Amino acid sequence: MNIVQIHSGLGNQMFQYAFYLALKHHQPDTKIDTSVYRHRPSHNGYELERIFAIHPTHATIDERNRMADVGKDWFSVFRRAIGWKRKTDGQLVIEPNPSHGWFPEALQSENSYLQGYWQTEKYFANIAEQVRNDFTFRRPLGTKDSALAQEIASVNSVSVHIRRGDYIKERRRADYEVCTATYYRRAIEYIQAHVESPIFYVFSDDPTWGKEQNIFPTDTIFVSGHQGEDAYIDMQLMSLCRHHVIANSSFSWWGAWLGQHDKTITLAPSTWFRYRERPDIIPDNWIKIDAE
């Protein structure tokens, strides 16, 4: 048996689930573990089965404990902190530093508990169609969003994701590079040079900042109204656009990856983290844009 830990926000959960599918092709007895959310709430918690019509196999707490000593309850954390570790039957596989590139050996794991982000399509490129099918959004769009979706489908639509929010907080700012106005200006200019009559649809947790930069054409649409448990609708609408300008965010990465049409142009920032490389996160057919 293998167990893949699911943690963090929606975009990261999707990478971990796609990795789970890839691992399951090698070792059918592979399960997911979502128990981390009992002790460490993150964003909107575990969302995959609420948003997508999927039915992954969940590991029980007993199965997790037999495989690896990774419990997040206060006693387990304290016990490990003082050096008191339990004996387990499996091995703990932790994703190596992604700055060194992807780790294909992980897909050969057996009798393992696997922790990581697995943020590259290289893990699941050979089952891309299955991943896209599994990430079909469960719920139909409401009346207002359905009308917007029809509009998006009728023009040369370009999704633009601006993520600032948590990225500009002190805790995250030391690690994440925030996409600058220069990045978005260059991306917009590239799209305008290569796409006939593009219409930009901006998805952002800080739309005021985006409007203040004066870098978007006057007919740009700033999409709003999707927060909390409805935040995923932004990703759903992004995926309907013909072209994409993403932020250094797994959320818009998936919006773009799920929305690959014929001759789609996807632009991404060349720098993902401030001081760490992420050489495999951007697919080879996407275009990197320097922020400075």
Side-chain angles (χ1 to χ4, degrees):
M1 180 196 301
N2 287 318
I3 300 175
V4 176
Q5 185 186 72
I6 307 294
H7 60 90
S8 302
L10 177 59
N12 287 326
Q13 293 174 37
M14 293 169 72
F15 273 115
Q16 292 150 13
Y17 176 82
F19 175 77
Y20 152 81
L21 289 181
L23 188 57
K24 199 173 181 68
H25 273 254
H26 164 69
Q27 172 54 268
D29 189 12
T30 295
K31 304 180 180 183
I32 66 169
D33 173 30
T34 62
S35 62
V36 67
Y37 293 101
R38 299 181 184 183
H39 308 285
R40 293 186 178 180
S42 180
H43 298 277
N44 294 315
Y46 175 64
E47 297 193 273
L48 291 177
E49 290 171 79
R50 177 176 66 86
I51 295 172
F52 305 110
I54 57 175
H55 304 284
T57 305
H58 288 254
T60 65
I61 296 298
D62 185 56
E63 288 172 329
R64 183 204 69 187
N65 287 341
R66 288 202 308 268
M67 186 68 68
D69 185 9
V70 293
K72 297 299 183 183
D73 58 281
W74 72 267
F75 179 73
S76 296
V77 173
F78 172 75
R79 174 176 50 73
R80 290 194 297 269
I82 63 175
W84 180 15
K85 298 181 180 180
R86 287 191 300 101
K87 184 177 180 181
T88 59
D89 296 332
Q91 61 177 335
L92 176 62
V93 176
I94 299 176
E95 180 185 20
N97 189 339
S99 65
H100 299 154
W102 74 303
F103 181 54
E105 294 86 349
L107 294 176
Q108 304 301 316
S109 298
E110 294 187 2
N111 196 38
S112 300
Y113 186 97
L114 297 103
Q115 288 181 328
Y117 288 91
W118 320 107
Q119 291 177 323
T120 171
E121 71 167 354
K122 290 183 178 181
Y123 286 114
F124 51 88
N126 63 323
I127 58 165
E129 183 176 356
Q130 180 185 356
V131 174
R132 285 194 168 91
N133 287 338
D134 276 21
F135 287 152
T136 299
F137 293 91
R138 178 191 291 273
R139 300 178 183 178
L141 293 169
T143 302
K144 179 181 177 181
D145 290 322
S146 291
L148 181 58
Q150 292 178 14
E151 177 186 320
I152 285 172
S154 68
V155 299
N156 278 334
S157 49
V158 184
S159 75
V160 180
H161 186 217
I162 299 175
R163 179 170 177 175
R164 290 176 59 77
D166 56 340
Y167 278 16
I168 61 176
K169 293 180 179 178
E170 191 65 33
R171 181 175 62 88
R172 293 260 185 146
R173 193 167 55 196
D175 194 25
Y176 282 85
E177 193 73 67
V178 181
C179 290
T180 63
T182 299
Y183 165 71
Y184 289 108
R185 184 179 295 107
R186 289 176 177 172
I188 291 166
E189 290 172 352
Y190 186 95
I191 291 291
Q192 290 175 324
H194 293 83
V195 176
E196 183 179 357
S197 303
I199 302 295
F200 296 91
Y201 293 81
V202 180
F203 303 84
S204 178
D205 55 9
D206 190 355
T208 300
W209 181 90
K211 294 175 182 178
E212 290 175 344
Q213 305 313 303
N214 296 318
I215 56 178
F216 292 101
T218 55
D219 55 352
T220 293
I221 292 90
F222 283 81
V223 181
S224 62
H226 307 128
Q227 299 176 343
E229 291 190 349
D230 289 336
Y232 76 91
I233 296 175
D234 277 359
M235 182 190 295
Q236 188 171 2
L237 291 170
M238 286 181 199
S239 72
L240 301 177
C241 292
R242 296 180 183 275
H243 308 284
H244 309 277
V245 177
I246 73 168
N248 52 333
S249 165
S250 58
F251 187 89
S252 53
W253 189 101
W254 280 104
W257 193 86
L258 293 175
Q260 295 297 293
H261 300 266
D262 184 39
K263 298 182 180 179
T264 290
I265 296 173
T266 301
L267 306 181
S270 59
T271 301
W272 205 263
F273 291 102
R274 192 175 294 273
Y275 300 114
R276 291 183 287 146
E277 296 294 327
R278 212 46 158 214
D280 296 316
I281 194 167
I282 304 302
D284 293 339
N285 61 330
W286 293 9
I287 299 167
K288 296 179 182 179
I289 300 291
D290 289 333
E292 299 298 339

